[in-house]
Amino acid sequence: MAKAEETVLEIDLKALTHNFNYLKSKLRPETKFLAVVKAFAYGSDAIEVGKYLENIGADYLAVAYAKEGVALRDSGVSLPILVLHPQPVNFKTLIDRCLEPSLYSMNVLNEFITIAEKGGQRQYPVHIKFNTGLNRLGFDFSDVGAITMQLKKTDAIKAKSLFSHMAASEDLDEIAFTKQQIVRFKNITKEITSQIGYQPWLHMCNTSGVLNFPEAHFDMVRCGIGLYGFGNSPIEDKNFIPIASLKSIISQIHTVKKGDSVGYNRAFTAKEMTKTATIPIGHADGLNRNYGKGNGYVSINKQKAPIIGNVCMDMIMVNVTNIECTEGEEVIIFDARHTANDLAKSANTISYEILTSISQRVKRVYLK
Ligand SMILES: *Cc1c(COP(=O)(O)O)cnc(C)c1O
């Protein structure tokens, strides 16, 4: 790739193929692969990435909200799309655009049935979500009877799948808890399947579930972060390639005298003669203020340059006193070497957050 000449998020589609193939290699051949492309495919680009995943053989896509599914349909994606967290106000749109809802409460189940019936639907595919311990979204075991009653009363919808979500699949200290979630899921799905008289697909694993709980792959898995290059553990991280690199350029270099300050509110004061570089990326681009005041660093000529002072809306200043560099030189905020995960740790957060924070203002470029 040519050196960055402005702030860009470079997306390596070959790395995406690698990650997809690695995750697929963990599955039985018949297990389906749902690619989670919510939040702009974890801050990259849902359209480019969604289409690419469709081409390389993903079976299903998922987004969080209706609007995200509509954008994929507008771009011509034809894979089935599961909407993980829809609201009743969007149910008509979901049906119009062939988007499949997760139904997670009696209220949303009943609302969806009403709208599907009004629209004259027959066997519209829906996915019923069960809470097995995350206590976030989903029906409980005690709802099984009521769900069955509703499903039997109507021909407008059909449960294509039953699913649940793990609370701590990446945490090997919580194996007992996750195994209990798996048992609960099996019990719930056995009961509902026997009551409705047909077998919907079952799925419960996210990326770390795929890696750590092969016994819970069931009929489909739902992978997000792994596709984007992170395995949620130092060992697994080595098997993935981060697909997104955030790059920028040095706009200006300053020499700051001892005692002078840098940036808003004078948050950095030079203890000695300090060479600083100003870089066109700020909190409006997704680089949170917590990366400032020496917490985070960028990489220039493979050397660490700490972010000094406060992160501005459109800029950061970094300390390059001991780094040979010039104006116009490339700056790496994160890439496959200085990873989003490393950077995230410096602000007490996780790769998921820094990736999904990269704002739409940052230009996306693709390595194909
Ligand atoms: C976001 C999400 C996933 C993907 O999780 P990763 O850890 O990124 O693989 C899977 N399932 C549900 C319900 C989700 O919300």
Side-chain angles (χ1 to χ4, degrees):
M1 188 66 187
K3 293 227 167 201
E5 295 176 283
E6 61 181 330
T7 302
V8 293
L9 189 73
E10 186 182 286
I11 296 155
D12 180 353
L13 294 167
K14 280 213 292 285
L16 182 60
T17 302
H18 167 88
N19 298 332
F20 176 76
N21 289 337
Y22 177 69
L23 287 162
K24 287 274 281 185
S25 76
K26 299 288 170 185
L27 307 180
R28 285 172 286 120
E30 65 273 23
T31 303
K32 290 174 198 62
F33 192 101
L34 176 152
V36 180
V37 295
K38 63 191 178 191
F40 302 102
Y42 289 45
S44 57
D45 183 319
I47 308 299
E48 283 283 334
V49 166
K51 283 185 172 171
Y52 191 84
L53 288 163
E54 181 166 42
N55 282 334
I56 62 175
D59 300 293
Y60 241 88
L61 298 178
V63 292
Y65 306 140
K67 186 172 178 245
E68 300 176 298
V70 169
L72 286 166
R73 284 283 178 258
D74 284 346
S75 79
V77 167
S78 59
L79 278 182
I81 301 173
L82 165 57
V83 180
L84 293 164
H85 196 173
Q87 301 297 341
V89 66
N90 298 313
F91 284 170
K92 186 168 179 313
T93 305
L94 292 192
I95 293 174
D96 289 346
R97 307 310 303 275
C98 278
L99 302 167
E100 303 174 7
S102 156
L103 301 178
Y104 48 86
S105 72
M106 231 45 235
N107 185 31
V108 300
L109 173 64
N110 290 335
E111 290 265 0
F112 195 80
I113 289 172
T114 303
I115 289 169
E117 284 178 343
K118 259 193 212 149
Q121 294 297 320
R122 285 200 58 241
Q123 312 223 327
Y124 194 91
V126 302
H127 304 264
I128 302 183
K129 170 104 183 248
F130 288 94
N131 171 28
T132 54
L134 182 57
N135 289 319
R136 190 173 74 170
L137 275 188
F139 288 103
D140 290 317
F141 192 101
S142 58
D143 297 316
V144 167
I147 298 167
T148 306
M149 214 160 71
Q150 294 308 74
L151 289 177
K152 283 190 163 165
K153 266 203 325 230
T154 184
D155 189 41
I157 67 167
K158 183 167 187 184
K160 181 147 177 198
S161 82
L162 310 175
F163 76 110
S164 187
H165 195 38
M166 291 171 168
S169 56
E170 72 278 24
D171 188 346
L172 300 180
D173 293 331
E174 293 288 0
I175 288 179
F177 182 85
T178 304
K179 285 190 183 284
Q180 186 185 51
Q181 280 197 281
I182 297 168
V183 169
R184 283 184 184 153
F185 183 63
K186 284 184 175 164
N187 289 338
I188 291 170
T189 55
K190 207 169 128 203
E191 180 61 28
I192 190 162
T193 300
S194 80
Q195 289 194 23
I196 61 179
Y198 59 90
Q199 178 68 66
W201 299 352
L202 309 181
H203 48 107
M204 104 177 282
C205 283
N206 61 350
T207 297
S208 291
V210 167
L211 301 173
N212 296 330
F213 299 93
E215 72 274 27
H217 289 179
F218 300 107
D219 301 300
M220 183 159 77
V221 297
R222 305 185 305 270
C223 293
I225 197 76
L227 286 172
Y228 308 112
F230 295 89
N232 291 336
S233 83
I235 293 172
E236 282 295 350
D237 279 344
K238 292 199 184 78
N239 297 316
F240 293 93
I241 307 171
I243 74 158
S245 297
L246 183 58
K247 300 179 172 180
S248 190
I249 182 174
I250 297 178
S251 295
Q252 194 178 15
I253 290 178
H254 289 273
T255 304
V256 179
K257 291 196 295 292
K258 182 177 169 177
D260 281 358
S261 60
V262 174
Y264 283 134
N265 308 109
R266 311 189 63 202
F268 174 86
T269 303
K271 290 197 186 75
E272 60 201 347
M273 186 82 96
T274 302
K275 187 166 69 157
T276 69
T278 302
I279 299 162
I281 184 167
H283 59 73
D285 301 291
L287 203 60
N288 189 286
R289 285 178 93 250
N290 294 332
Y291 293 101
K293 297 189 176 172
N295 292 327
Y297 63 88
V298 302
S299 176
I300 299 172
N301 272 326
K302 297 198 164 61
Q303 286 173 280
K304 291 181 183 184
I307 301 168
I308 57 175
N310 282 320
V311 171
C312 312
M313 190 184 296
D314 315 307
M315 286 170 247
I316 52 174
M317 281 71 84
V318 302
N319 189 338
V320 291
T321 306
N322 299 314
I323 301 175
E324 222 175 283
C325 58
T326 54
E327 292 174 357
E329 187 127 8
E330 186 175 68
V331 175
I332 306 294
I333 321 300
F334 59 70
D335 65 0
R337 206 176 130 271
H338 168 41
T339 70
N341 198 30
D342 300 334
L343 184 64
K345 279 186 191 146
S346 66
N348 261 320
T349 182
I350 56 175
S351 57
Y352 293 76
E353 192 186 44
I354 176 83
L355 293 174
T356 58
S357 297
I358 303 311
S359 78
Q360 293 301 299
R361 183 165 80 168
V362 176
K363 180 179 171 187
R364 271 64 176 166
V365 297
Y366 301 92
L367 285 182
K368 298 200 175 164

